[in-house]
Amino acid sequence: MKRVENEEVKKGELLAVIDPKDLKISKDKMLYSIESLKKSIEALELKKDRLQKSLQLQREIAKIDIKAIEKEKESLHFNIEASKTKLRKLQLDLKRYKNMLDQNLIASTEYENIKTSYSALSKQIEAMEKKIDEINVNISKAKKAYSLAILNEKEIKELEKSIEAQKENLKLQMKSLEDIENRIGYTKLYAPFDGIIAKKFLSAPRVVKAGSPIYALADPKSLYCEVLLSEKKMYGIKEGSSVTIKV
């Protein structure tokens, strides 16, 4: 608050700054709370998804012939080993093509083709390995009673209620964060128009309450003044003459 009375200011000039330290602390706490809540919601949704998949598997596994699953697993193991052998060859080719590319012996497209094949095969192997994991789960789940699905259905419904409640809480916290950010934006006071500081109500450092005046600004160009003059003082004054008024 370095501005003084009768000082000229331009529109948009900074007049005063309120220390936003407490507000920033509140903002940091709110951000931490929001992030924690988001992670909690994410964890609940992941748990819900796992239960839904498990429920679906339980219903399907009850009708699946385990021998057929074992046969599929054996076939996948064979395909994985064959693909890994091919992948090792592609890995060697990839290094070789990279060396040739660095020496400008081949076009970049040849290297990219090998790289794409390697990436695609890696993903294919990963997908097959995931499928093996799913099959192992299916074999285990097939031995359990179908009644477990009912328990999962109840738990899923409870999770859905909890997720919805936390999402509503998240909305409220996001609104509170928005309010805090708006209040931080109000900690800087700017001149709304060109003018002069007519009055300074406070001096730093001071605790400022909401709604407390800090400065009174006046626009000299918009002032209107009526003055009573005697006939003697009117001598020489004409319409349009410039005058100086001292208050």
Side-chain angles (χ1 to χ4, degrees):
M1 295 180 61
K2 295 183 179 180
R3 302 293 184 172
V4 296
E5 292 183 359
N6 297 321
E7 181 181 353
E8 291 186 0
V9 295
K10 296 292 184 180
K11 181 179 180 180
E13 284 189 8
L14 183 63
L15 301 180
V17 177
I18 299 175
D19 186 1
K21 182 179 179 180
D22 291 341
L23 288 173
K24 287 184 177 180
I25 291 174
S26 297
K27 179 182 176 180
D28 290 341
K29 289 181 179 178
M30 187 59 66
L31 286 171
Y32 176 79
S33 177
I34 288 172
E35 188 62 26
S36 298
L37 191 54
K38 285 181 178 179
K39 289 181 179 179
S40 175
I41 292 172
E42 183 180 356
L44 288 175
E45 288 179 335
L46 286 173
K47 184 176 181 181
K48 173 190 165 187
D49 290 341
R50 286 197 299 268
L51 284 173
Q52 286 178 327
K53 290 176 182 178
S54 176
L55 176 61
Q56 183 178 0
L57 285 173
Q58 285 172 355
R59 289 172 174 170
E60 292 176 354
I61 290 170
K63 302 175 183 178
I64 293 176
D65 185 351
I66 296 179
K67 290 183 179 180
I69 301 175
E70 290 284 4
K71 188 175 182 180
E72 182 184 3
K73 180 179 177 181
E74 183 180 351
S75 176
L76 275 173
H77 271 305
F78 176 82
N79 290 336
I80 288 173
E81 290 304 316
S83 297
K84 283 183 176 179
T85 300
K86 186 177 180 180
L87 186 67
R88 286 191 288 270
K89 182 180 181 304
L90 281 174
Q91 188 175 21
L92 294 174
D93 290 341
L94 189 63
K95 291 180 179 179
R96 184 164 56 87
Y97 273 63
K98 182 65 170 62
N99 290 332
M100 289 191 292
L101 178 64
D102 292 340
Q103 300 175 33
N104 295 321
L105 298 177
I106 60 172
S108 60
T109 53
E110 293 181 67
Y111 172 76
E112 290 298 328
N113 288 339
I114 291 292
K115 187 177 180 181
T116 300
S117 298
Y118 180 85
S119 177
L121 186 57
S122 297
K123 291 179 180 179
Q124 184 179 349
I125 292 172
E126 183 181 353
M128 287 190 291
E129 289 176 338
K130 287 182 178 179
K131 184 64 177 177
I132 293 252
D133 292 338
E134 292 175 3
I135 289 174
N136 289 333
V137 172
N138 288 346
I139 293 173
S140 176
K141 292 286 179 83
K143 299 175 182 179
K144 294 182 179 180
Y146 186 76
S147 58
L148 291 176
I150 298 175
L151 297 176
N152 281 345
E153 284 180 346
K154 291 181 179 179
E155 189 172 356
I156 287 171
K157 290 180 180 179
E158 291 300 319
L159 282 172
E160 287 174 343
K161 291 179 181 179
S162 180
I163 289 170
E164 286 303 313
Q166 292 201 23
K167 283 184 176 180
E168 287 300 318
N169 189 15
L170 179 61
K171 289 179 182 178
L172 294 175
Q173 291 197 17
M174 291 295 291
K175 181 63 171 63
S176 297
L177 177 63
E178 183 181 351
D179 292 340
I180 291 173
E181 289 176 337
N182 287 336
R183 290 171 62 190
I184 290 175
Y186 297 149
T187 58
K188 292 184 178 180
L189 180 64
Y190 297 94
F193 52 80
D194 294 350
I196 62 171
I197 304 294
K199 185 173 180 59
K200 183 176 180 179
F201 293 95
L202 300 173
S203 296
R206 286 286 299 275
V207 177
V208 181
K209 296 181 179 180
S212 299
I214 297 177
Y215 291 108
L217 268 64
D219 181 4
K221 296 179 181 179
S222 64
L223 296 179
Y224 176 78
C225 182
E226 289 187 358
V227 180
L228 297 176
L229 297 177
S230 64
E231 292 183 2
K232 292 181 180 180
K233 292 183 178 180
M234 287 288 293
Y235 179 76
I237 296 178
K238 298 180 181 180
E239 184 177 351
S241 297
S242 296
V243 296
T244 299
I245 298 174
K246 294 183 180 180
V247 181

